[in-house]
Amino acid sequence: MSIIPGTTPTLTLSLDRSITGCTAAEFCLACGTVRLLRPLSDLSLSADGTEVSLRLTQTETLMLPDNQIAKVQLRVMLGGAVFATDSIPVPTKELLHREELIADAH
């Protein structure tokens, strides 16, 4: 039996500004017909608010097709305004086989 690491990967987005104090946030991952939306309560923020991490469940990860490109985006409400990162392409092969992925969301 072989064990594949990363079946519950952590996605970390590096932001160009702090989102400390945001009132709402939503992490979105889309690939084909799979859509994962996770609220602020499921996200972990770094102490300075410039990194946001989300650990996917095994069920979520295994719903993703292998060798496809998923799109990741973070949407945040901060100070009454809504901000969104660019849509970041993430190969699902990386999600299925790596424990941690770090993307620059600048």
Side-chain angles (χ1 to χ4, degrees), residues 32-45:
T33 60
V34 177
R35 302 276 186 272
L36 304 176
L37 299 173
R38 301 282 289 277
L40 178 59
S41 60
D42 289 350
L43 306 176
S44 298
L45 275 89

Side-chain angles (χ1 to χ4, degrees), residues 37-94:
L37 299 173
R38 301 282 289 277
L40 178 59
S41 60
D42 289 350
L43 306 176
S44 298
L45 275 89
S46 62
D48 66 358
T50 61
E51 287 190 348
V52 178
S53 296
L54 171 70
R55 186 163 195 77
L56 297 179
T57 67
Q58 185 175 34
T59 299
E60 290 169 331
T61 305
L62 294 176
M63 288 187 329
L64 298 171
D66 199 6
N67 287 325
Q68 299 291 317
I69 300 296
K71 300 288 184 172
V72 173
Q73 185 178 53
L74 179 70
R75 301 171 191 137
V76 177
M77 182 175 283
L78 182 64
V82 176
F83 301 94
T85 64
D86 290 334
S87 181
I88 303 164
V90 177
T92 58
K93 186 173 189 126
E94 295 292 312

Side-chain angles (χ1 to χ4, degrees), residues 14-35:
S14 295
L15 308 171
D16 59 359
R17 65 182 288 187
S18 175
I19 62 167
T20 300
C22 68
T23 54
E26 182 176 63
F27 172 90
C28 177
L29 184 146
C31 186
T33 60
V34 177
R35 302 276 186 272

